[in-house]
Amino acid sequence: MDENLYHAKRMEMIGGFFQVALLASETEVDGERHAYINSTLAVDAMEHLLAAIIESSPHIKPRKDIRAITEMFEKRLRLGIEHLRQEFDRTGRHPFPVINAN
């Protein structure tokens, strides 16, 4: 898959996830509907989705393979957070509003 198509499909998936997360977290306040990302619900959903993807991969079965992929994911997640923070600082944009339901 070429790089532009890969990036477009990745952005489509990310956008779709945000749409679903916002719809699932939509609340009514004073007769108006507001959508905030419920961080606890969203992270729980992502964890289950990642577990389902890993479990469905036939080549990722032994514990060492699962550990390797989760360590790689953890490293990429930290780098992604750092990149987002740099982009927010550079552009002055802010992340989506979040309700932390912990």
Side-chain angles (χ1 to χ4, degrees):
M1 180 180 314
D2 92 3
E3 189 175 330
N4 291 333
L5 180 58
Y6 177 83
H7 180 70
K9 289 193 172 289
R10 183 177 62 134
M11 294 308 291
E12 185 177 349
M13 283 184 174
I14 292 168
F17 180 81
F18 274 114
Q19 285 180 322
V20 170
L22 287 169
L23 287 173
S25 300
E26 198 172 71
T27 58
E28 188 170 315
V29 178
D30 296 330
E32 293 184 27
R33 303 217 43 91
H34 298 275
Y36 296 93
I37 296 175
N38 180 316
S39 60
T40 302
L41 181 61
V43 168
D44 185 56
M46 286 187 288
E47 288 171 355
H48 281 83
L49 178 60
L50 182 59
I53 290 168
I54 291 170
E55 178 56 29
S56 68
S57 300
H59 63 285
I60 303 174
K61 291 300 177 194
R63 284 178 158 270
K64 70 176 186 167
D65 292 345
I66 294 169
R67 185 177 311 113
I69 197 165
T70 55
E71 287 173 358
M72 181 267 312
F73 178 73
E74 183 266 339
K75 180 188 279 185
R76 291 183 65 178
L77 183 60
R78 279 188 290 112
L79 291 172
I81 290 168
E82 183 178 318
H83 174 75
L84 285 173
R85 288 178 177 169
Q86 290 171 356
E87 283 297 303
F88 290 140
D89 287 345
R90 185 182 67 78
T91 62
R93 290 180 30 222
H94 300 284
F96 286 103
V98 171
I99 294 173
N100 190 345
N102 291 334

